Each structure stands twice: as structure tokens, then as C-alpha cells.
Amino acid sequence: MRMIQVWMKPQHKNLHPHVQYATFNENCHLNQWYLMASDAKNNPIQLQQNVQIWVLKQEGNKKTEFLVAKNQQAYLVQLEGSSIINGECLSRYDGLEVYGEKIQIMTEREACFLLVVTPLSIGTELNEK
């Protein structure tokens, strides 16, 4: 079991705080990105912000990519394992920030990742406060 707690500023004022729980089958995100939370109504966890939260569990010696659009930024956290991401060696609990470019991941051994993608304007707004 893994619990991930994420706090973010809501898109609108005066919304009531709420908590959501979801259970995910490990196979839904094995060797592929899985969108587990966003502002879309069909996601397991619905957010009150223009943010996407992706998860990936990848076997060792595999490559994958994620394209961060030019108007987006992404925060990637390596939850388990070790990998080389955009030429940087990462291990458990390491993270990086990417602006409008492709994230290229090569796992050295089995690894798990959490990726938070936001429009550039949201990240700038949050960093200023």
C-alpha cells in the first residue's frame, strides 16, 4: 500500500475541502503512464484545478517518454528504483522539474514515478505565493 498526499490551491474560491481515496490495480500503470487524477469527470480522482497527476511503474531496462507541452510544466518524483531521466541519474525520492519538453526515462531496475503536470500559469502563480 502507498498513500500519496497532494495539496494544491483550488481553481475557485470558497470551495469546501474534500478528500478522495482510490484503489488502483498495479497492472493499470505497468510500463505505461496512467492518469489517476485531473479535473476531468471520468478520472478516478477529480481535482478542482487544471492539473493532471500521472503514475508509472516501469520494469528494469525499459524506456518510456512523456511529452510536456510548451505551455506546461511538470514535476516528476521517483518513488522507487533508479533511472536515467533526460541524462540525469535519479533514485528513490529524487525529483525534477521540466518545462515544455519531452521527459525520457530509462530505468536501470524496476521503478515507480509520480508526475504532476500543470499549465505554466498555475505553477508560476503557486511559486509566487
Side-chain angles (χ1 to χ4, degrees):
M1 182 181 107
R2 173 176 289 131
M3 182 180 140
I4 299 172
Q5 187 176 36
V6 178
W7 291 75
M8 64 187 67
K9 183 179 175 183
Q11 195 167 4
H12 305 287
K13 291 184 177 191
N14 301 319
L15 292 174
H16 294 288
H18 72 278
V19 175
Q20 284 183 275
Y21 298 95
T23 302
F24 299 95
N25 180 324
E26 188 173 296
N27 292 328
C28 69
H29 58 277
L30 182 61
N31 297 319
Q32 63 184 356
W33 288 104
Y34 178 75
L35 181 60
M36 62 185 230
S38 77
D39 60 349
K41 299 214 182 295
N42 61 343
N43 281 102
I45 299 174
Q46 294 176 13
L47 305 175
Q48 297 294 323
Q49 184 54 273
N50 185 6
V51 173
Q52 297 174 343
I53 301 177
W54 298 81
V55 65
L56 166 70
K57 183 169 187 173
Q58 186 162 300
E59 297 170 311
N61 297 314
K62 294 227 180 230
K63 292 181 184 179
T64 194
E65 296 179 344
F66 188 98
L67 180 60
V68 179
K70 289 184 180 181
N71 62 342
Q72 293 179 325
Q73 62 187 15
Y75 303 94
L76 182 126
V77 178
Q78 179 141 359
L79 300 173
E80 294 176 1
S82 61
S83 63
I84 299 173
I85 302 176
N86 291 2
E88 299 289 327
C89 295
L90 270 73
S91 57
R92 189 175 191 191
Y93 304 135
D94 285 343
L96 58 83
E97 186 174 20
V98 175
Y99 294 91
E101 66 179 273
K102 190 183 298 182
I103 299 172
Q104 297 177 320
I105 299 173
M106 176 64 190
T107 52
E108 296 175 343
R109 56 188 167 110
E110 187 176 274
C112 188
F113 304 91
L114 181 76
L115 180 66
V116 178
V117 180
T118 69
L120 279 173
S121 60
I122 291 176
T124 305
E125 191 176 285
L126 294 177
N127 289 335
E128 289 174 357
K129 295 189 179 199

